[in-house]
């Protein structure tokens, strides 16, 4: 078994559980407060690893640049969702792992077997089917499409740059810079004076803390896997976590789903199985 496979699989399962807990928390905590709390918890979770593996000084600047790119991507994606139908925006942005795979194959000379290439193709296709909705929301605006395409490019490019940044010196610099930028953005979105004490003691806060402690450990695993494994495989594999989260939503939260969405879940998870075993 490849050394990068276990941390990648852990990230896949952990992020699926994180999405499940996050969905419950978001119903009452709100997006901006959820974002700040999750960023702060992530930074605290990274701290023990950062103390054991201090980031190299020379890697801080490129990691900071990538962290800013991630923050911009978050803003572009959020604005695309605000302006356009979620059922159309999500499938477009969900194809970003395929872009990362193409960049890794063409620029890093990564090579895939036939079964692995099939998994790379099936995983984004499954996510496309899972999130696509044919019904429109009645809006005549089309500017969301350009934002969604920009989000796709930024996400795919960001994952590729993460591979290049992480590989030489390990994930510490990216963990530190990424979490710090998220906390700064979170403080802007939800400054402390907007919080109530009850919001830090209730179930949504506990779910958020639990989800992002788990997610923080998963992020470390993902970046370690990305550092040692092929980006063309690791990124599409871990990107199937929404499909697993969708399956958990049906099983645990009893959410309704269509046959097409179930087919998308099955296709994405089959692609993930091919990537894990090929």
């Amino acid at each position: 078994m490849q050394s990068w496979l276990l941390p990648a699989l852990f990230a896949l399962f952990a992020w699926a559980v994180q999405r499940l807990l996050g969905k419950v928390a978001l119903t009452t905590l709100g997006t901006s407060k959820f974002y700040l709390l999750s960023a702060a918890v992530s930074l605290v979770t990274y701290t023990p690893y950062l103390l054991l593996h201090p980031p190299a000084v020379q890697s801080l600047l490129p990691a900071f640049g990538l962290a800013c790119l991630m923050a911009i991507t978050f803003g572009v994606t959020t604005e695309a969702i605000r302006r356009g139908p979620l059922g159309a925006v999500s499938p477009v942005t969900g194809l970003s792992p395929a872009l990362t795979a193409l960049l890794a194959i063409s620029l890093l000379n990564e090579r895939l077997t036939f079964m692995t290439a099939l998994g790379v193709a099936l995983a984004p296709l499954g996510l496309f089917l899972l999130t696509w909705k044919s019904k429109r929301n009645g809006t005549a605006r089309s500017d969301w499409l350009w934002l969604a395409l920009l989000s796709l490019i930024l996400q795919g490019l960001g994952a590729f740059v993460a591979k290049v940044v992480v590989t030489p010196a390990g994930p510490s610099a990216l963990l530190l810079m990424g979490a710090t930028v998220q906390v700064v953005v979170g403080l802007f979105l939800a400054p402390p004076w907007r919080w109530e004490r009850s919001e830090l003691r209730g179930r949504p806060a506990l779910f958020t803390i639990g989800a992002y402690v788990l997610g923080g450990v998963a992020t470390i695993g993902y970046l370690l896997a990305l550092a040692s494994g092929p980006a063309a495989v690791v990124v599409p594999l871990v990107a199937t976590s929404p499909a697993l989260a969708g399956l958990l939503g049906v099983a645990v939260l009893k959410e309704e789903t269509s046959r097409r969405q179930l087919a998308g879940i099955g296709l994405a998870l089959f692609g993930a199985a091919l990537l894990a075993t090929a």
Side-chain angles (χ1 to χ4, degrees):
M1 179 181 293
Q2 299 292 336
S3 60
W4 55 264
L5 182 56
L6 282 179
L9 289 175
F10 174 75
L12 166 62
F13 284 98
W15 280 344
V17 175
Q18 180 193 67
R19 286 173 180 269
L20 180 68
L21 295 175
K23 179 176 176 60
V24 177
L26 273 169
T27 56
T28 54
L29 194 59
T31 302
S32 58
K33 293 180 179 179
F34 175 82
Y35 183 82
L36 174 57
L37 183 58
S38 63
V41 171
S42 296
L43 183 58
V44 172
T45 305
Y46 298 154
T47 300
Y49 183 87
L50 294 174
L51 292 175
L52 292 173
H53 305 277
V57 175
Q58 65 271 18
S59 62
L60 291 176
L61 184 59
F64 175 73
L66 180 56
C68 291
L69 177 63
M70 292 161 58
I72 294 171
T73 303
F74 173 80
V76 170
T77 306
T78 301
E79 186 63 15
I81 292 173
R82 186 184 72 82
R83 296 188 185 192
L86 178 62
V89 174
S90 295
V92 175
T93 58
L95 294 175
S96 62
L99 175 60
T100 304
L102 289 175
L103 289 172
I105 292 169
S106 58
L107 299 181
L108 299 181
N109 295 320
E110 294 184 356
R111 294 292 179 261
L112 305 178
T113 65
F114 173 77
M115 296 301 291
T116 307
L118 181 61
V120 170
L122 290 179
L125 179 59
L127 294 177
F128 186 91
L129 290 175
L130 173 62
T131 53
W132 176 261
K133 294 181 180 178
S134 58
K135 294 181 180 180
R136 304 291 178 182
N137 63 356
T139 180
R141 299 177 64 177
S142 59
D143 51 352
W144 63 265
L145 178 59
W146 300 107
L147 289 170
L149 290 173
L150 179 58
S151 173
L152 185 159
I153 294 171
L154 291 176
Q155 289 186 56
L157 181 61
F160 174 76
V161 174
K163 166 69 178 177
V164 177
V165 170
V166 167
T167 298
S172 296
L174 186 54
L175 290 171
L176 177 61
M177 291 293 102
T180 301
V181 170
Q182 287 176 18
V183 169
V184 172
V185 173
L187 286 171
F188 175 78
L189 295 174
W193 58 83
R194 292 185 183 177
W195 287 77
E196 301 288 341
R197 286 188 177 182
S198 59
E199 291 176 319
L200 294 173
R201 294 195 298 263
R203 189 177 72 168
L206 292 177
F207 276 20
T208 303
I209 292 171
Y212 278 83
V213 167
L214 182 64
V217 178
T219 300
I220 295 173
Y222 168 68
L223 291 178
L224 288 173
L226 192 60
S228 58
V233 176
V234 174
V235 175
L237 172 61
V238 178
T240 57
S241 61
L244 183 57
L247 190 62
L248 290 175
V250 174
V252 178
L253 301 180
K254 309 301 181 185
E255 293 182 342
E256 294 184 1
T257 187
S258 66
R259 292 181 179 178
R260 173 187 48 76
Q261 289 172 320
L262 286 175
I265 291 173
L267 198 59
L269 293 180
F270 179 62
L274 289 177
L275 290 171
T277 59

